[in-house]
Amino acid sequence: MREGSLFDEALRRGLESYVAEMLRIHVAEGLLARPEIRAALGPQHFERVRAEVLDRLRRSEEEGREARPAVSTAVSDVLSLLSRIAGRPGSGGEGSP
Amino acid sequence: MTVGSLYRLRDIGRLRRIASVLARHGFVDVAERVHVMQALRRIGRIFRRRSAAAEVIPWTRRIRLAAEELGPTFVKLGQMLATRPDLVPMPLVLELRRLHDEVPPFPFEDVRATIEAELRRPLAEVFEWVEEDAVAAASIAQVHRARLKTGEEVVIKVQRPRLQEVIGADLRILLLLAQTIEARVPEMRPFRPVAIVEEFRRSLSREMDFSTELSSMQRFAANFADEPMLHVPHGYPQLSTRRVLVMERIEGAKITDRAALDAMGVDVKAVVDLGMRFTLRSIFEHGFFHADPHPGNFFIRPDASIALLDFGMMGSVEPQRLDEMLTWMVGLLTGDLDMMVGLLLDADLIGDETDVRALRGELRGIVDRYQHAALASIDVSALISEVFDVTVRHHVFLPADLLLVGKAMATMEGIGREAWPDFQPLDAIRPYLTEVYLKRMLDAKKHSQVAVRSLVEGATLLKDAPLDIRRVLRKLRRGELQIVHRSADAPAEIRARHARTNRLILAALLPVFFFGGVWLTGSESALHNAAGLVSLGLAWLFFIGLGISMLGDGR
Ligand SMILES: Nc1ncnc2c1ncn2[C@@H]1O[C@H](COP(=O)(O)OP(=O)(O)OP(=O)(O)O)[C@@H](O)[C@H]1O
C-alpha cells in the first residue's frame, strides 16, 4: 500500500463526491419527503433549505468527480492489505501452538 | 479510619460551622447517619436543640437556606445540582434554581491589593480611575467600573480575597463527607456522591480561573465573528490573570428591563428572537455555549444588538453528540418516536433495566399532548423537564453535556418569556433545529472526513495488528471463501453484473465477522478499541464501495 496516499486531497475530494451523490440519491429525497420536516420548516423556508442542501451536494459531487479513481484505488489497497495480513503464514492461526 | 482524624485541624472550625448550620436547618438525622455527628459532638457539643423551623419549612427549602448561609462553595454546589434532574428530585431542583448568589461587596482596599498583587503594578499606573463602589458583587467576584490610562472604558472583575482558601477547605470537607456517605449510606451509592464532588471541584476551579474565562470569551467571539448583532466584550490579556479580568465596558440595559428598552426604542420581540437564535447557534453549530445565560448577563445596546457577559461557565458538546442531540430533538419536534427511541438505543444510553416499550409509551404521551397544543401555550422548559423526568425514571443515562444544553435552552426561554410575555420559543426552535439537522445529515464533507479518518486509523492499526487480530482475520478468510463459493452458484450474467458489488459486500461482512470474532476471543479493551476502529473503517469502506457499484449499476 502506498504510504500516505490515504491522506491525499484527491482521495478526500473523490470520497466527498461519492458520498454527496449517494446522499443526494438515497438519503436526501427520503428526508426531504417527510411531511413532518416540511411542516416544521413551513413551505418557504422548506424550499430554501431544500434548494440549498441539494445545491451543495451537487457541487461536492461535481467538484470531486475527476478525483473518484483515487477512492477505488484506496479501497482495493486496503482490501489487499487485509487479505495479506489474514493470509500471512505463521502469524498465529487457530490451533497453532 | 475515623472521620474526625481525617479532617485537617484547620478545617475543623469550618466543619463545626457547617454542622451547626445543617443542624439548625433540621438535618441532624442526615448528619448522624454519616457518623459525622459523633465526631463533632466530641469536638464541641453543638447540637443542643433542633430548630423549631425545621418542623414546618419543607426540606427542599431548608437545603437552599442552609446552602445560602454556608456561602460560595455550597451556593455553587446547589446551582450545579439544580442542573442535574437525573441526580436530584425535581422539587429540590426547582428550589435550588432559586439560590441567590448575592453577597455584600468586599472593601475597596482588598480590591486594590488584589489588582496590584496580580498585575504587579500600582493601580494608578494602569488605570486613570477605578470606581470604589462595585457594580455587582457575587460569591466569586465583584465588578468595578474603570478607565484605562490609554482612555478605554473598562470593567475589572476581581476575585474575592482568600476565596481559594475558603473554597479549598469546603471542598476537602465535601469530599470527605461524600466518601463517608458513599461508604455508609448504601442507598446513596447510586448517586455517586464522590464523583459529583469531583466533577464539582473541576467546574468550580475552572470558574475561579479568570484566564479560562478570558479564553472562552475570545473563542465565543470568534465563533460569532459573522454576527454583527451579537457583541462579546473585548478582553485585555495583558491586564488579566487568574484573579483579575479586565474587559471592555458595555453600556446598555438588561434584557428584562422593559422601561429602559422602551426608552431606547428597541423592539423587544426582535431582541428576544435574536437571543434565542444565538443560543441555538452556539449549541447546535459551535458546540460551545453559555451555560449560565441569566438575564443579568444579557445586555441590550442602543442599536438593539445583544452583548453577552460572564463566560465563567461554558458548556461544550462533541460533534458526535451534537448529531445525536439534533436527531433526538427533531424526533421530538416532529413527533417521530422511532427516531427518538432508536437513537437512545444506538447511542447506548438505555440501560438493561429499561422497559423500552413503557418508555416509548410515555414519550408518546408527551409528544401527542404537545403536538396538539397551540404553539403559544407550549412551555419549552416544562417540556424539557418532563422529557428528562421520563428518561430518568426509565433509567436512560443522561450525559452531563446534554443536561447543560437543556438548562441553557430552558433558561433562554425563561428570559425570553420574562422580557416578552408572548414569546413563542418553539416558533424559533423548530424550524431552526430542523434546518440544522437537514444540513448536518446531508453534509457530504463531514461524512467523508469521518470516512477518511476511520479508514486511515483502521489501516494503520491493521498493519501492526497483534497476533490475536490476525488470528481472527484468518478465521474471517474462511468466511470469505464461503461467500465467493456461494456467489459462484448464481447465474452467469448476474455474477458478471455484481462481480464488483460482491467484493464490496464482502467488505461489509468483514467488520461483522471481525467484531464477532474479537468479541468471541474475549480480548481486553485495548483490542476492542482497535477492533472498533478497524470495523468502523471497514464499514465505511463498504458504504462507499457499495455506493460506487450501485451508482455504476444505475448508469
Ligand atoms: N463588560 C461589562 N460591562 C458592563 N458591566 C459589566 C461587564 N461585566 C460585568 N458587568 C456587570 O457585573 C455583573 C456581574 O458580572 P459577571 O456576571 O461577569 O460576574 P459573576 O461574578 O460571574 O456574577 P454572576 O455569577 O452573578 O453572574 C453583570 O451582571 C453586569 O452588571
Side-chain angles (χ1 to χ4, degrees), chain B residues 101 136 138 143 155 157 247-250 294 296-297 299 309-310:
Chain B
D101 189 13
V143 174
V155 297
K157 186 164 168 174
M247 68 183 122
E248 166 194 352
R249 187 159 77 232
I250 304 294
H294 65 76
N297 293 332
F299 271 42
L309 303 177
D310 191 2

Side-chain angles (χ1 to χ4, degrees), chain A residues 7 15 18 21-22 26 34 36 40-41 45 52-53 56-57 75 82 85-86 88 91-94, chain B residues 334 336 431 434-435 439 442 448 452 456 462 467 470-471 473-475 478 510 541 547-548 550-551 555:
Chain A
F7 291 96
L15 204 56
Y18 275 124
E21 185 168 0
M22 274 191 298
H26 301 287
R34 289 178 45 194
E36 316 88 69
L41 286 172
H45 193 171
E52 221 174 288
V53 164
R56 216 173 47 180
L57 286 177
V75 169
L82 261 181
I85 295 172
R88 198 177 291 165
S91 61
E94 220 184 6
Chain B
T334 58
D336 186 335
T434 311
E435 175 175 346
K439 287 185 172 164
L442 298 174
S448 55
V452 172
V456 172
L462 265 182
L467 289 183
R470 291 197 209 135
R471 196 168 64 202
L473 281 171
R474 270 175 78 103
K475 285 185 200 160
R478 284 174 209 142
L510 283 177
L541 253 179
I548 295 172
M550 272 164 29
L551 295 175
R555 215 165 276 134

Side-chain angles (χ1 to χ4, degrees), chain B residues 5-180:
Chain B
S5 68
L6 280 173
Y7 290 109
R8 296 192 190 182
L9 214 51
R10 65 190 161 100
D11 293 343
I12 285 178
R14 178 66 182 156
L15 181 61
R16 271 179 68 169
R17 165 127 179 83
I18 293 173
S20 80
V21 171
L22 283 181
R24 206 148 21 75
H25 289 281
F27 293 109
V28 178
D29 47 339
V30 175
E32 259 165 4
R33 286 288 288 283
V34 296
H35 297 247
V36 170
M37 289 310 127
Q38 283 103 310
L40 286 168
R41 283 222 179 80
R42 259 180 277 127
I43 299 165
R45 309 212 163 280
I46 42 178
F47 303 113
R48 270 182 294 270
R49 67 189 159 84
R50 228 177 233 240
S51 154
E55 310 303 331
V56 280
I57 304 177
W59 65 278
T60 50
R61 174 97 139 288
R62 286 186 275 132
I63 290 187
R64 173 170 68 82
L65 295 175
E68 277 171 8
E69 196 170 326
L70 285 170
T73 322
F74 293 83
V75 168
K76 291 283 169 194
L77 178 64
Q79 286 173 341
M80 181 190 108
L81 290 176
T83 68
R84 301 298 303 264
D86 56 328
L87 296 175
V88 176
M90 215 49 204
L92 183 56
V93 166
L94 295 176
E95 186 67 42
L96 290 176
R97 282 195 193 143
R98 301 175 48 206
L99 269 171
H100 280 299
D101 189 13
E102 272 159 29
V103 280
F106 53 91
F108 187 71
E109 280 332 296
D110 286 334
V111 173
R112 174 193 296 276
T114 305
I115 297 176
E116 294 188 337
E118 291 290 302
L119 302 186
R120 297 175 194 189
R121 273 184 281 175
L123 210 59
E125 207 174 276
V126 183
F127 300 98
E128 178 97 29
W129 51 261
V130 179
E131 216 168 68
E132 296 210 357
D133 289 331
V135 198
S139 50
I140 299 222
Q142 66 191 32
V143 174
H144 290 261
R145 294 152 58 93
R147 181 185 294 149
L148 296 181
K149 276 278 187 207
T150 45
E152 288 109 315
E153 305 290 346
V154 296
V155 297
I156 318 172
K157 186 164 168 174
V158 187
Q159 198 167 95
R160 270 185 186 269
R162 292 167 297 281
L163 186 71
Q164 313 270 355
E165 289 96 281
V166 175
I167 287 185
D170 282 352
L171 281 173
R172 280 192 297 276
I173 293 171
L174 273 175
L175 189 61
L176 206 60
L177 279 176
Q179 284 164 343
T180 319

Side-chain angles (χ1 to χ4, degrees), chain B residues 385-429:
Chain B
S385 47
E386 212 176 329
V387 170
F388 275 166
D389 198 44
V390 168
T391 47
V392 168
R393 249 182 311 108
H394 286 278
H395 310 283
V396 175
F397 167 72
L398 293 181
D401 48 5
L402 203 121
L403 294 164
L404 267 189
V405 167
K407 180 200 170 201
M409 286 180 58
T411 323
M412 190 55 227
E413 184 205 18
I415 296 173
R417 280 192 198 273
E418 197 177 335
W420 183 256
D422 292 333
F423 179 47
Q424 297 179 16
L426 275 186
D427 259 359
I429 295 177

